[in-house]
Amino acid sequence: MSISTAKQLGLGLCPKCHKVNKMHSAKQCCSRCHSSFHQRKPNSLKLTMAWTVTAIIFLFPANLLPMMVINTLGDRDASTILGGIDYFINDGVYPVAIIVFVASFLIPLAKIAGLILLMMSVKKGSKLTVAQRARLFHFIEFLGPWSMLDVFVVALMVAVVNLGFITSIEAGTGSTYFTLMVIFTMLAAQSFDPRLLWDVPEDEQ
Amino acid sequence: MTENSTELSQLIICPKCDALATKPTLLAGQKAMCGRCQAKLFEHKANSIDRTLAVALAGLVFVIPAMTLPLMGVGMLGLFNQASLVDCIAVLIANDFYVVAICLFLFTIAIPIVRLVTAFYIAYRIKRGRVKPHLLRFFCSYHTLDHWVMLNVFLLGMVVSMYKLLSMSQLTIGFGFSSFVLLLLCSTLVSVTLDQHAIWETLEESREHKYG
């Protein structure tokens, strides 16, 4: 059964209120909520690319600079993201070590790699079926906020562990870069228009 | 209204893959999925307005305690310190980590509150039958903020921090923590009970009624 798309019939969907609109021009106002929209997000691939590249640049300081600095009796101990995971492994709390490793190291990398793959596939096609790529995008969107985990841990530790000279924790410069990196990957995923994946002839899907 | 727009209102477009379908009539509790990409198109939620009103109000009650009561505290050698969510932000600002502080404020305080207030206000106005066209604009903000609520991530962050602190000191859990869990529960339930599709249609009908 062939499925007709809204684009073929000159219709467009308002991204805010999901109202079906007849497209009169490239950019128009939604007849229900008056927000302006396009049939496809304009410059979707360029914007996604720009945010992804920015995220890749920030990935390096985020992982190389210390996330937090632990002061114990005058001793300063700075740890990066991977260093913090090492701490959990030494303590033997493997489930927590795995959660932190996945959320703050694997997910950002997987998100960036996945977005690059999706962008390439829109330009050049891919071995994966469109349905598989659509699921991949859905997964990337869902993972988005979970990378913020480590930032929240740092924010909590800094405020809670504050016992003067005995022990205190400071945030490290890496946390700022890490926060920005996570936000850039989320913006990249939001700029990508998944409908572009389906805009190919049906036999190629 | 012209014949053309009645036709349009019987169509539905998948937001994820642009497939076009005629809109099915759903019974309460049923949902419509896209035939091509399996994304959810819309859902007919049972008793949506009443439930949203109740859950959003409950959520708003927990906002202040969740923000200001201490989440957890550590003790060591007779010293004790505890911190709330607001303290976390204050300490970050005091240490010049403005970006982290702003993000923490937005994702765990500002955006969840705006969503709860929006859901409550809209549900209240519809319940009372006082629907005004300006609510359309107001409701737009609800959808835009969907991705940026990070209460669940912050809860996992608290659990991870507890594991970190357990090994080095005495750990106490404050009332802020339980309020926060309840706030997260209400905030999630609002997304479950709020029927965006039905609300948009109610708002649209009210405007057609007014402007003819």
Side-chain angles (χ1 to χ4, degrees):
Chain A
M1 189 187 85
S2 85
I3 292 174
S4 53
T5 68
K7 195 180 184 184
Q8 287 162 359
L9 297 176
L11 301 174
L13 184 75
C14 170
K16 287 217 168 107
C17 73
H18 288 191
K19 165 94 180 163
V20 178
N21 279 263
K22 218 177 182 78
M23 298 304 288
H24 305 294
S25 53
K27 183 184 176 185
Q28 74 177 49
C29 275
C30 171
S31 66
R32 177 152 74 184
C33 70
H34 300 306
S35 50
S36 63
F37 68 101
H38 296 72
Q39 205 165 32
R40 295 286 179 273
K41 287 178 190 168
N43 296 323
S44 165
L45 288 181
K46 281 181 199 157
L47 278 172
T48 315
M49 192 46 141
W51 288 123
T52 311
V53 170
T54 323
I56 293 172
I57 295 169
F58 276 72
L59 194 64
F60 291 98
N63 281 286
L64 297 174
L65 293 173
M67 277 299 268
M68 59 182 173
V69 184
I70 306 176
N71 298 308
T72 325
L73 302 170
D75 247 11
R76 279 172 69 85
D77 180 19
S79 64
T80 58
I81 292 204
L82 288 173
I85 295 163
D86 203 38
Y87 181 89
F88 280 122
I89 294 175
N90 287 336
D91 266 14
V93 245
Y94 297 111
V96 182
I98 292 168
I99 290 174
V100 177
F101 180 72
V102 170
S104 39
F105 192 73
L106 278 189
I107 290 181
L109 285 183
K111 262 162 61 179
I112 289 171
L115 282 170
I116 291 174
L117 187 122
L118 288 175
M119 281 186 286
M120 299 278 281
S121 81
V122 171
K123 284 251 162 92
K124 294 181 183 158
S126 152
K127 280 178 195 159
L128 297 170
T129 64
V130 175
Q132 282 168 332
R133 281 181 272 153
R135 272 204 295 277
L136 174 66
F137 178 70
H138 183 72
F139 192 57
I140 292 175
E141 248 190 338
F142 164 77
L143 288 179
W146 289 98
S147 321
M148 282 297 272
L149 179 70
D150 231 47
V151 175
F152 291 158
V153 171
V154 171
L156 270 164
M157 299 285 275
V158 170
V160 175
V161 184
N162 190 4
L163 299 175
F165 181 70
I166 301 174
T167 181
S168 70
I169 291 181
E170 293 165 36
T173 34
S175 57
T176 302
Y177 290 106
F178 194 85
T179 311
L180 290 171
M181 189 270 290
V182 175
I183 290 174
F184 292 146
T185 56
M186 286 183 71
L187 288 172
Q190 278 190 11
S191 314
F192 187 78
D193 192 334
R195 290 171 293 190
L196 293 174
L197 295 171
W198 298 91
D199 283 347
V200 290
E202 213 154 301
D203 50 313
E204 286 169 37
Q205 287 178 9
Chain B
M1 282 269 132
T2 59
E3 209 174 305
N4 203 338
S5 68
T6 349
E7 249 170 60
L8 282 185
S9 70
Q10 261 136 39
L11 290 173
I12 189 158
I13 302 177
C14 172
K16 299 285 178 198
C17 77
D18 215 35
L20 196 66
T22 44
K23 189 189 278 181
T25 320
L26 299 185
L27 298 171
Q30 284 183 319
K31 52 177 113 164
M33 313 290 269
C34 171
R36 183 158 73 165
C37 74
Q38 313 304 328
K40 191 173 81 184
L41 296 175
F42 72 100
E43 212 174 332
H44 184 164
K45 295 175 178 172
N47 212 358
S48 164
I49 296 297
D50 284 343
R51 288 183 189 176
T52 306
L53 201 58
V55 176
L57 186 61
L60 288 171
V61 169
F62 292 119
V63 165
I64 306 268
M67 304 295 147
T68 53
L69 292 179
L71 297 166
M72 56 176 115
V74 288
M76 201 191 259
L77 303 172
L79 288 170
F80 182 73
N81 183 54
Q82 55 185 11
S84 66
L85 190 50
V86 176
D87 294 332
C88 289
I89 294 166
V91 171
L92 285 170
I93 291 174
N95 293 330
D96 295 339
F97 282 90
Y98 297 112
V99 175
V100 187
I102 291 168
C103 290
L104 187 62
F105 173 73
L106 285 177
F107 301 150
T108 60
I109 297 184
I111 293 176
I113 292 180
V114 169
R115 281 180 94 241
L116 280 177
V117 170
T118 309
F120 178 76
Y121 184 59
I122 299 265
Y124 176 76
R125 294 299 287 259
I126 291 179
K127 174 90 183 154
R128 282 305 195 80
R130 284 193 297 193
V131 187
K132 292 269 166 63
H134 77 265
L135 290 174
L136 278 162
R137 267 256 176 263
F138 199 67
F139 196 51
C140 273
S141 66
Y142 182 86
H143 187 76
T144 322
L145 296 175
D146 245 7
H147 287 282
W148 301 93
V149 179
M150 299 194 188
L151 293 175
N152 48 2
V153 184
F154 192 78
L155 180 68
L156 188 62
M158 282 197 277
V159 174
V160 170
S161 318
M162 282 174 190
Y163 269 103
K164 269 194 174 157
L165 295 170
L166 262 180
S167 57
M168 57 188 270
S169 59
Q170 279 173 308
L171 182 71
T172 54
I173 293 170
F175 280 114
F177 183 79
S178 31
S179 311
F180 189 89
V181 173
L182 291 168
L183 172 65
L184 166 64
L185 201 68
C186 293
S187 161
T188 314
L189 276 176
V190 165
S191 328
V192 175
T193 58
L194 188 77
D195 194 335
Q196 298 201 22
H197 190 78
I199 289 182
W200 279 119
E201 284 189 345
T202 317
L203 294 178
E204 190 178 23
E205 271 165 32
S206 84
R207 200 184 52 194
E208 275 164 20
H209 188 69
K210 185 170 179 189
Y211 298 118

